Amino acid sequence: DVKVTQSSRYLVKRTGEKVFLECVQDMDHENMFWYRQDPGLGLRLIYFSYDVKMKEKGDIPEGYSVSREKKERFSLILESASTNQTSMYLCASTAAGGHNQPQHFGDGTRLSIL
Amino acid sequence: GQSLEQPSEVTAVEGAIVQINCTYQTSGFYGLSWYQQHDGGAPTFLSYNALDGLEETGRFSSFLSRSDSYGYLLLQELQMKDSASYFCAVRGNTGFQKLVFGTGTRLLVSP
């Protein structure tokens, strides 16, 4: 069965800290995604990666960066956390090829920036 | 750009049928997907329509009209466990299986 694992369910950090959110998938998927989910705004794409060391900006990349050193792991980095980055962060992965490859999501990390 | 509109909330009773609509504006189109998310849980894939018409999967069906830029998710024989948020999502003309999600419809099923 497909498994996407996010390292933390809940995380509390302080303004200005560098924050790392980790995501691991065990399906050998090429594509991985980071979203943030806020009430009334749905899921918004921050960054995605279609291969190791490859990354593309999503719709709201400002204040974030990513790292994909290994195929199974995709990290989201908040360079200097701010209170407006308090949110639910969701990682997803999908296989390459075809038009209908469902995205498989992790359980999310609820991040609070104080 | 791309945008999707869906109702923010829908209520229904057990055993009823409910339809959740989604209209979209995209610069390209490969297909419309639906995802379900229970409170505190991960979104899970429900269905995908690339062509016009109805796709049926058990109690859930999804419809697409490309000419109208419109689709809907139909849930039949509603059960309490169907209470969740439902998101439509569009694949535009970009690659890499990238999706744009709607803002979600919260379905409340009452006894």
Side-chain angles (χ1 to χ4, degrees):
Chain A
D1 199 15
V2 168
K3 188 70 176 176
V4 177
T5 303
Q6 294 184 228
S7 54
S8 304
R9 265 309 246 159
Y10 300 93
L11 205 54
V12 180
K13 296 290 182 181
R14 296 207 172 272
T15 303
E17 279 193 70
K18 191 169 185 176
V19 181
F20 293 85
L21 302 183
E22 306 287 346
C23 175
V24 176
Q25 51 94 4
D26 65 358
M27 298 154 288
D28 202 35
H29 282 169
E30 288 78 9
N31 303 316
M32 297 187 74
F33 306 83
W34 274 107
Y35 297 89
R36 65 176 282 175
Q37 183 175 22
D38 301 287
L41 297 178
L43 283 74
R44 293 180 293 165
L45 183 64
I46 304 171
Y47 265 97
F48 66 100
S49 168
Y50 53 91
D51 202 350
V52 174
K53 298 191 185 294
M54 305 305 288
K55 60 185 179 183
E56 292 284 338
K57 292 180 180 179
D59 300 315
I60 51 165
E62 296 77 20
Y64 303 94
S65 63
V66 290
S67 173
R68 188 143 181 227
E69 296 297 317
K70 294 185 177 182
K71 191 175 185 179
E72 67 270 20
R73 185 180 298 272
F74 192 35
S75 303
L76 179 69
I77 304 156
L78 285 69
E79 296 291 344
S80 177
S82 64
T83 55
N84 63 12
Q85 292 178 310
T86 291
S87 186
M88 170 68 86
Y89 289 86
L90 290 163
C91 174
S93 73
T94 187
H99 285 176
N100 179 26
Q101 294 290 352
Q103 293 198 3
H104 301 274
F105 286 84
D107 287 333
T109 295
R110 186 166 293 283
L111 175 65
S112 296
I113 307 296
L114 305 179
Chain B
Q2 299 176 93
S3 66
L4 296 92
E5 284 193 24
Q6 51 182 130
S8 58
E9 189 171 290
V10 173
T11 59
V13 297
E14 270 189 303
I17 299 172
V18 73
Q19 178 175 311
I20 299 173
N21 298 320
C22 175
T23 57
Y24 59 87
Q25 290 184 330
T26 62
S27 53
F29 182 83
Y30 279 123
L32 182 70
S33 300
W34 289 91
Y35 286 77
Q36 178 192 59
Q37 184 182 30
H38 288 98
D39 284 349
T44 57
F45 172 78
L46 288 177
S47 68
Y48 174 78
N49 294 68
L51 302 175
D52 287 358
L54 193 68
E55 295 279 345
E56 297 182 62
T57 308
R59 295 187 297 115
F60 293 2
S61 304
S62 57
F63 172 83
L64 175 65
S65 169
R66 295 173 67 129
S67 59
D68 295 323
S69 298
Y70 163 76
Y72 65 73
L73 180 69
L74 190 73
L75 298 85
Q76 302 182 72
E77 300 172 21
L78 280 175
Q79 302 175 10
M80 297 292 288
K81 67 178 181 180
D82 298 328
S83 291
S85 292
Y86 293 84
F87 296 89
C88 57
V90 167
R91 272 205 66 205
N93 58 359
T94 57
F96 314 121
Q97 308 288 342
K98 181 184 165 188
L99 296 176
V100 176
F101 283 84
T103 53
T105 298
R106 188 170 180 85
L107 171 63
L108 301 172
V109 180
S110 57

